[in-house]
Amino acid sequence: MPATAIELRSPGIDYAREYRALLSFLYQAPFGLMQIAPDGAIEMITPAAARLLLALAARPELDNLYTALADVAPQLPRLVREYRGPSGALCEALRFALPAGSLGPEASVLTLTLTKVGPQMLMAVLNDVTNEVRREQRDLDQRLTDLSRTDALTGLPNRAVAIERLQRLIDARREDESTPPFALILVNIDRFHQVNDSLGHAAGDEILRLLAARLNTQLRRHVRDDGASAPAVVATRVGNDEFAIVVDDLRRSDDIHGIAMRLLDVVAQPFGVGEQQLHVRVSAGIVLAAQAARTGVEMLNDANIAVNESRRAGRGRYAVFEPSMRERAASRGLIEEGLRGALERHELYVVYQPVVELGEEGDALRCTGVEALVRWLHPQRGIVPPIEFIGIAEDSGLIGDLGRHVLAIACEQFMRWRARLGDRAPGTLAVNVSRAQLFLPDLVDMVRDTMCSTEMPPGCLQLEITESMAAEDDEVRVALAELKALGVSLALDDFGTGYSSLSSLHRLPVDLVKIDRSFVSQVDSSNYHRVLVEATVQVARSLDLGTVAEGIETESQARLVRQLGCEKGQGYLYSTPLTAPALEAWLATGACAALP
Ligand code: C2E
Ligand code: CA
Ligand code: CA
């Protein structure tokens, strides 16, 4: 057995000090060194090498490297035999896995490097790389968990991270109330599906990426620049077009409004996608720590409720969550559920409100047409007015089916009246088209098909749209032009509410303006309202548009709107909306009544 020492053949000079230093250095080296003869004989070995080789070797005798490693590295003699060069590596970092208990209490990994250093001399290095291997494994695991926690498209942390972070903040504050408050801002892109539908998914993805980058950099930078005590902001992607921003360390709760405004600002800048500059808007919902639910998931749900509330108030805004919103959302959920069934169970029906000509005083009342208004006969609640379910139908995507249903029923009824009543039948049928319907890709086909199957003459059909939506979108303008091309007429409903603008009237392809009830009802008591009604009638006339005053309830209102030049009227003074048989009865009697 060789000595566990290194012998240096001294060239005659006394290097005793250096020799001892080198010796102790090698003895303490964290790796093992061996000098080997070409036949495998171990000529010198350091203590570290002996310890490692013993753990590896089949037998406890350490006189020959090849025999010691015959089980785990039988190729060594061949490698040496076949190596032709004067010096160089024969094998590099050959790995050996050792079971727990052989070197330490846990499994270990050793490497062996064998190098030819002279014609008759090889050097073997044995290394315990257990720690490095473990570190590598940990890094790899980390990378893998990073992947499972990162959204692949945007590179932002994903939903799991958002929920985890929220949960940590919720728990921390529950434990210690003096922990600074936090907040969650949930951001949802308005009508994102339209971007995908009209520009393709690649453009949609690009917008998501750009938006994510802005949230991650601009918003965070802004918050950081605000001062030393500025809140920490983490942007995550939690759904297709949904981003959750967790704001931590919010020392002044007012700050959240500044952050939310900044957020809407950051998003409002156009996005360059390919050649185009695209504008998107988002709606946001905020949940403050004081209102936080018990879990991160619930908190995200609450934020979503707030997003929906904010969207209903108009897009491109934010709303702060309040617990009462939960009840509203639940009851909306119930209505939505009921509405799905209602369509199948035929619980929806249509009533008709006459539109009359505002002729000269003393003239007979002439009904020129009817407006179809939907009702829901709920099995428990009785008659539910449209105000309670149209918005929900829009939000839940049921509006397409609902609109088709109403149009079909109304057209069928209109044609029955024409067949039965002849001249006395209403001349036009007005049907409301809600905002969301104008964004449906099949609206024009639906109207065409329904007119076709019911044989409804296009000239008798009037579609009522609200002005705010008509003025807004290019897409809507295209839909309106296509509808007009079918031969139907368009009425601008609720004029005076929302984006009231006489000056934009000429840009819309409408034939008729319906002046909102809120103006008509005050026409005889408020100078302002009277002037507005008059101006509307004048502008409409100059553009060759008809006018209808909505919601006339008193004779004095009727007289005034007629004097101001309004051609037609609608309201309880003449008739409430009626079922089809009741309308027939009304036509037989009421229509002949003299005007006030
Ligand atoms: P709208 O299109 O402005 O319809 C007029 C509303 O005013 C109707 O309410 C009608 O009953 C009511 N009204 C008529 N005359 C008077 C009056 O003299 N005084 C008062 N106080 N109210 C009067 P309704 O039927 O509850 O409908 C409310 C809204 O729901 C409608 O407003 C319309 O925007 C929407 N809607 C109704 N049916 C449909 C439908 O089939 N599809 C769509 N998309 N929306 C509909
Ligand atoms: Ca209407
Ligand atoms: Ca109206």
Side-chain angles (χ1 to χ4, degrees), residues 371-373 430-433 464-466 493-494 514 550 570:
E371 176 176 359
L373 296 158
V431 177
N432 292 283
V433 172
E464 298 195 356
I465 55 168
T466 54
D493 208 351
D494 304 342
K514 295 187 81 170
E550 289 190 291
Q570 199 180 337

Side-chain angles (χ1 to χ4, degrees), residues 184-218:
L184 162 67
I185 311 179
L186 187 69
V187 179
N188 197 304
I189 303 179
D190 294 338
R191 293 206 200 91
F192 182 64
H193 61 94
Q194 271 173 42
V195 174
N196 278 330
D197 290 350
S198 56
L199 302 169
H201 284 265
D205 284 356
E206 185 59 14
I207 287 187
L208 290 175
R209 261 193 299 268
L210 293 171
L211 177 59
R214 281 193 200 170
L215 294 180
N216 205 25
T217 54
Q218 295 189 27

Side-chain angles (χ1 to χ4, degrees), residues 552-565:
I552 299 177
E553 292 185 352
T554 66
E555 298 186 350
S556 130
Q557 289 164 4
R559 197 174 308 120
L560 254 168
V561 292
R562 188 175 55 233
Q563 279 166 11
L564 294 176

Side-chain angles (χ1 to χ4, degrees), residues 287-456:
V287 187
L288 299 170
Q291 305 291 0
R294 300 183 75 84
T295 69
V297 176
E298 286 170 327
M299 202 170 167
L300 268 179
N301 284 343
D302 288 344
N304 197 35
I305 290 174
V307 170
N308 288 336
E309 289 258 344
S310 125
R311 189 162 281 162
R312 269 195 296 283
R315 287 157 200 269
R317 318 172 177 215
Y318 70 91
V320 179
F321 174 79
E322 292 160 24
S324 64
M325 289 181 181
R326 244 180 243 148
E327 279 146 49
R328 277 208 291 278
S331 92
R332 289 177 68 86
L334 278 180
I335 291 180
E336 184 185 326
E337 214 179 283
L339 200 55
R340 275 178 211 282
L343 278 160
E344 287 153 22
R345 291 189 298 267
H346 304 289
E347 289 167 7
L348 296 181
Y349 67 100
V350 178
V351 289
Y352 304 87
Q353 185 175 38
V355 179
V356 302
E357 202 157 75
L358 297 172
E360 288 306 311
E361 223 160 305
D363 282 0
L365 188 61
R366 218 174 71 80
C367 168
T368 61
V370 290
E371 176 176 359
L373 296 158
V374 68
R375 297 287 180 268
W376 177 7
L377 184 58
H378 192 281
Q380 280 87 42
R381 296 176 52 196
I383 297 171
V384 183
I387 186 116
E388 289 189 32
F389 61 87
I390 291 290
I392 295 173
E394 290 193 87
D395 290 350
S396 60
L398 287 168
I399 193 70
D401 286 347
L402 188 149
R404 181 195 316 271
H405 190 67
V406 169
L407 185 65
I409 296 179
C411 288
E412 277 161 18
Q413 183 57 56
F414 184 85
M415 294 311 286
R416 265 199 298 275
W417 280 326
R418 295 232 317 180
R420 270 217 305 271
L421 306 177
D423 283 354
R424 287 195 304 113
T428 57
L429 171 70
V431 177
N432 292 283
V433 172
S434 84
R435 194 185 158 71
Q437 278 177 280
L438 285 189
F439 291 98
L440 296 176
D442 66 347
L443 174 71
V444 179
D445 289 343
M446 186 278 278
V447 173
R448 187 192 297 110
D449 294 350
T450 308
M451 285 194 306
C452 206
S453 63
T454 57
E455 294 176 20
M456 177 82 190

Side-chain angles (χ1 to χ4, degrees), residues 50-61:
R51 191 173 69 84
L52 298 177
L53 191 59
L54 262 176
L56 261 182
R59 297 177 300 124
E61 293 86 44

